[in-house]
Amino acid sequence: MLMMRAFRLVLVAVGLPALAASAVQAQGQPAPSQPTQIRPAQAQPAEAQNQPAPAQSPAMTPLPTVPSQLGASPPTSAHPPLPAGETPAAPVATPVAPPPVTATLPHDLSPWGMFMAADIVVKGVMLGLAFASLVTWTIWLAKAMELAAAKAAAGRALRRIEAAESLSAAAGAAASKSGKLRGAVGELLTAALAETRRSADLGEDGIKERVAIALSRIEARAGRAMARGTGLLATIGSTAPFVGLFGTVWGIMNSFIGISQAKTTNLAVVAPGIAEALLATAIGLVAAIPAVIIYNVFARAITGYRATLSDASGEILRHLSRDLERRQRGVAPTPARAALHPVQQPAAGMPAAAALVPAE
């Protein structure tokens, strides 16, 4: 009996602290509907830390707590604490890529600056096109002066030939002050007079045919002489755009090569080469457009000049035909536009009719 009582006292002594702890917990929060499970200690707010810790029974041993270091969370099973004497490894520094190479545009973007900064091939193209443009304007100046003088001389000679009454009179009117026949119309008159003298004992039809052949050859030769140099204008006008396009292609190719070497797609890398290429194209157009226009103007002017020579040849053939017919009939050429006057009244017995006859 005594041992039973002692065993009961021990049980009561052990259970009293557990009952006191449960009472303290019941005062702070409502009792859960299900039995609570033992959980590891967690960080409580500051108010909970200020409250007195409840008495724990000897049977319930709390988990050891690890003080936080530098605000880090306490170690867990996934992140165990480091052994004593070891320091955490320093974070690996991430390599920073160097900034991309940025090309800057040249300060001088004038035509001369772009020419000096261009490739040697593009420079050669530009110089060739500039020389072609200089040739174009030189031909224009020289040929315009030559063509204007030739057309003026041919026009004056044609008007004098039309006013003459015979081939010899036309030659005298068209001659210069020194008595020499000059220009293309002078060559036409000289050839007609020479053929007439050589064929004085031959038939009229043969003389006309031979003179016509000689005049046509002189016209063709004068037209070729006047068109000399215009073929170069046609060549420049047709090839200068393609030469400029070659410079453009070469400059753009250099631009793409610069992009591949700089390993960047910055516009500042490709802009100078494209500008130089476009400058070559512009110079090609500057050389080609005036050449085409000047060639067309000269072609029309030369056609008009040859038409004037053709008119002069026609007048010379007309004079030759009249002279040959007069020689055949033995009639001298009459003066130009003889004045007409009435004949005196006849004697008595004649009909009173005033006949108009040319004055002697």
Side-chain angles (χ1 to χ4, degrees):
M1 292 296 291
L2 291 175
M3 293 186 65
M4 292 294 293
R5 287 180 180 180
F7 181 71
R8 289 178 181 176
L9 290 174
V10 172
L11 290 177
V12 171
V14 172
L16 284 176
L19 291 175
S22 62
V24 172
Q25 291 180 359
Q27 291 178 0
Q29 57 184 358
S33 59
Q34 297 180 358
T36 59
Q37 298 179 357
I38 299 174
R39 298 181 179 177
Q42 299 179 356
Q44 300 295 331
E47 296 179 358
Q49 292 179 1
N50 295 333
Q51 296 180 359
Q56 297 181 358
S57 61
M60 299 177 61
T61 303
L63 294 175
T65 59
V66 179
S68 61
Q69 300 177 358
L70 300 177
S73 301
T76 60
S77 60
H79 301 280
L82 294 174
E86 292 188 8
T87 57
V92 179
T94 305
V96 180
V101 179
T102 57
T104 58
L105 287 172
H107 297 288
D108 189 6
L109 290 178
S110 63
W112 178 254
M114 288 188 290
F115 170 76
M116 295 303 296
D119 185 74
I120 184 64
V121 177
V122 182
K123 283 184 179 179
V125 170
M126 293 181 184
L127 290 175
L129 293 173
F131 179 74
S133 179
L134 180 62
V135 170
T136 298
W137 292 108
T138 302
I139 293 175
W140 169 77
L141 181 61
K143 190 60 62 176
M145 296 175 63
E146 179 184 1
L147 187 58
K151 288 182 68 175
R156 288 194 302 268
L158 176 61
R159 289 190 295 271
R160 292 174 181 176
I161 292 173
E162 290 175 349
E165 290 297 326
S166 62
L167 187 59
S168 58
S176 61
K177 295 180 179 179
S178 60
K180 296 182 179 180
L181 294 172
R182 301 179 182 277
V185 178
E187 293 181 8
L188 296 175
L189 289 170
T190 302
L193 291 173
E195 185 62 33
T196 303
R197 287 193 301 268
R198 295 163 111 188
S199 304
D201 55 342
L202 300 177
E204 299 178 1
D205 295 336
I207 296 175
K208 295 178 183 178
E209 182 179 357
R210 287 187 291 272
V211 170
I213 293 174
L215 296 182
S216 64
R217 293 295 73 198
I218 294 173
E219 290 179 24
R221 185 167 58 251
R224 286 194 304 269
M226 190 57 62
R228 188 180 299 115
T230 58
L232 186 58
L233 295 176
T235 302
I236 293 174
S238 59
T239 59
F242 296 100
V243 176
L245 182 61
F246 169 73
T248 300
V249 172
W250 191 271
I252 292 176
M253 182 179 66
N254 288 337
S255 300
F256 281 108
I257 292 174
I259 290 177
S260 64
Q261 291 178 351
K263 298 180 180 179
T264 178
T265 58
N266 193 347
L267 185 60
V269 176
V270 68
I274 293 179
E276 297 160 7
L278 295 178
L279 181 61
T281 303
I283 296 177
L285 294 177
V286 167
I289 294 174
V292 173
I293 295 175
I294 293 172
Y295 174 78
N296 292 332
V297 171
F298 281 164
R300 291 191 297 269
I302 292 172
T303 301
Y305 174 69
R306 296 187 66 173
T308 303
L309 295 182
S310 180
D311 294 341
S313 298
E315 289 296 328
I316 290 173
L317 289 175
R318 289 173 59 188
H319 284 304
L320 178 63
S321 178
R322 283 194 293 265
D323 289 347
L324 292 176
E325 189 172 355
R326 289 192 188 103
R327 188 179 66 178
Q328 181 182 6
R329 295 184 180 183
V331 179
T334 58
R337 299 182 180 274
L340 301 178
H341 59 83
V343 181
Q344 296 180 357
Q345 293 290 339
M350 298 293 294
L356 298 178
V357 296
E360 295 293 335

